[in-house]
């Protein structure tokens, strides 16, 4: 009976907690990819590496061009910058 009353008392409090958006969760546990979404469509240059690291909080950046061989290991602290043949950013993701 006490257990049931405790659960009943906690239910209203649980309903008040906000569910974070997926991008907020990614920023909390990942590499901050949503903070640099504006880079998509822009040409990637090495001069962008350090400011991007600072803005995202990622530890490393891996730039992936078409045809590049990459490992399949997943690292939450690594930002992957995928580029097209012209060097423009086409995708940004953690991993």
């Amino acid at each position: 009976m006490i257990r049931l009353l405790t659960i009943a008392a906690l239910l209203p409090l649980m309903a008040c907690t906000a569910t974070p958006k997926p991008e907020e969760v990614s920023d909390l546990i990942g590499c901050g990819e949503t903070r640099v979404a504006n880079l998509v469509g822009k040409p990637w240059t090495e001069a962008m590496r350090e400011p991007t690291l600072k803005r995202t909080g990622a530890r490393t950046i891996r730039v992936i061009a078409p045809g590049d061989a990459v490992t399949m290991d997943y690292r939450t602290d690594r930002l992957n910058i995928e580029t097209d043949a012209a060097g423009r950013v086409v995708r940004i993701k953690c991993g």
Side-chain angles (χ1 to χ4, degrees), residues 23 27 31-42 44 48 52 55-56 79-82 89-93:
E23 60 271 12
D27 282 352
C31 64
E33 64 191 338
T34 59
R35 296 181 195 146
V36 290
N38 64 320
L39 295 179
V40 174
K42 296 180 181 177
W44 176 259
M48 297 163 70
T52 301
R55 188 169 180 191
T56 61
L79 186 68
N80 291 309
I81 308 282
E82 294 181 27
V89 177
V90 293
R91 186 174 179 196
I92 301 170
K93 63 179 184 170

Side-chain angles (χ1 to χ4, degrees), residues 20-31:
K21 297 175 185 172
E23 60 271 12
E24 292 171 343
V25 172
S26 174
D27 282 352
L28 290 173
I29 62 170
C31 64

Side-chain angles (χ1 to χ4, degrees), residues 1-82:
M1 181 72 163
I2 294 174
R3 185 180 289 170
L4 188 57
L5 290 173
T6 303
I7 292 171
L10 291 175
L11 283 176
L13 294 174
M14 291 171 59
C16 293
T17 58
T19 303
K21 297 175 185 172
E23 60 271 12
E24 292 171 343
V25 172
S26 174
D27 282 352
L28 290 173
I29 62 170
C31 64
E33 64 191 338
T34 59
R35 296 181 195 146
V36 290
N38 64 320
L39 295 179
V40 174
K42 296 180 181 177
W44 176 259
T45 65
E46 281 303 308
M48 297 163 70
R49 184 177 294 273
E50 199 59 38
T52 301
L53 284 170
K54 287 180 182 176
R55 188 169 180 191
T56 61
R59 285 191 168 176
T60 61
I61 291 178
R62 176 169 65 172
V63 180
I64 306 168
D68 282 355
V70 295
T71 61
M72 296 301 294
D73 63 315
Y74 185 84
R75 293 183 39 200
T76 57
D77 65 341
R78 178 174 55 201
L79 186 68
N80 291 309
I81 308 282
E82 294 181 27

